[in-house]
Amino acid sequence: MIHSKLSKSDEIVAFAREWADRGTPLVIVPTRYYSTATDVFRQAGISTVIWANHSVRSAVSAMQSVVKEIYETQTLINVEDRIASVNEIFRLQNAAEYTAAEKIYLSASSSPRVGLVLAASRGAPELEPITHDRPKVMLPIAGKSLLRWLVDGFKKEGLMTSR
């Protein structure tokens, strides 16, 4: 895969011609030299063109436009017919697969559920001022240690019984 920061494809085409007849693929990502016709790449012997980020960039532009309109009008009514439906988002995420997995892995069963807390770590060096005398899991959060919050949450979810 080769890159060029130039806005014209001359450098890429010249390289491709020199590379010719080597029997290996030549891949480009024409983000900067987008105005070059695809036939130029074909004629130069480039085997694969990756249109790398245009879909992401177009999505950002569309999101900015919709958010601006919602902000200015304070309503969703004007944008709803121009955006993907919630069902389309679920389809793209393959939400049905997630639902099936939840039934398998998160369903109540006769076997006990187990939770694991890796409690001994003091964390990254920048945490040293607050973890020099105790592991992260013992740090106080809203009046209770993180470990107490985790244990209480596990109990609430049936992952742990009181002893």
Side-chain angles (χ1 to χ4, degrees):
M1 177 155 58
I2 59 173
H3 289 282
S4 176
K5 292 183 178 181
L6 302 179
S7 61
K8 300 226 182 268
S9 64
D10 301 346
E11 182 179 60
I12 295 295
V13 171
F15 181 91
R17 289 195 177 118
E18 289 294 321
W19 189 259
D21 300 325
R22 296 193 186 206
T24 57
L26 186 56
V27 180
I28 62 169
V29 182
T31 303
R32 299 286 300 198
Y33 45 97
Y34 55 85
S35 63
T36 304
T38 305
D39 278 342
V40 170
F41 302 141
R42 283 190 190 103
Q43 291 169 6
I46 294 167
S47 55
T48 304
V49 176
I50 299 174
W51 310 108
N53 60 25
H54 287 75
S55 59
V56 170
R57 290 166 51 202
S58 66
V60 168
S61 293
M63 286 187 276
Q64 289 172 328
S65 174
V66 167
V67 168
K68 181 181 181 206
E69 186 166 347
I70 293 169
Y71 176 77
E72 289 173 351
T73 63
Q74 297 291 295
T75 183
L76 302 174
I77 195 72
N78 301 321
V79 300
E80 190 64 28
D81 62 340
R82 297 190 331 250
I83 62 175
S85 68
V86 172
N87 285 338
E88 175 63 1
I89 299 302
F90 290 158
R91 185 192 70 77
L92 290 170
Q93 294 172 335
N94 199 1
E97 180 182 9
Y98 291 123
T99 301
E102 285 177 350
K103 288 179 183 173
I104 294 169
Y105 299 111
L106 298 179
S107 64
S109 67
S110 59
S111 62
R113 294 170 59 197
V114 177
L116 174 66
V117 176
L118 301 173
S121 169
R122 295 198 189 287
E126 57 268 17
L127 293 176
E128 169 62 26
I130 59 173
T131 62
H132 69 279
D133 62 343
R134 61 186 158 200
K136 290 184 301 191
V137 79
M138 295 308 295
L139 293 173
I141 299 174
K144 294 194 294 190
S145 71
L146 177 57
L147 180 59
R148 173 52 46 206
W149 283 103
L150 291 169
V151 168
D152 290 348
F154 285 173
K155 285 179 181 177
K156 182 179 176 186
E157 294 300 318
L159 290 171
M160 174 177 226
T161 56
S162 300
R163 291 189 185 178

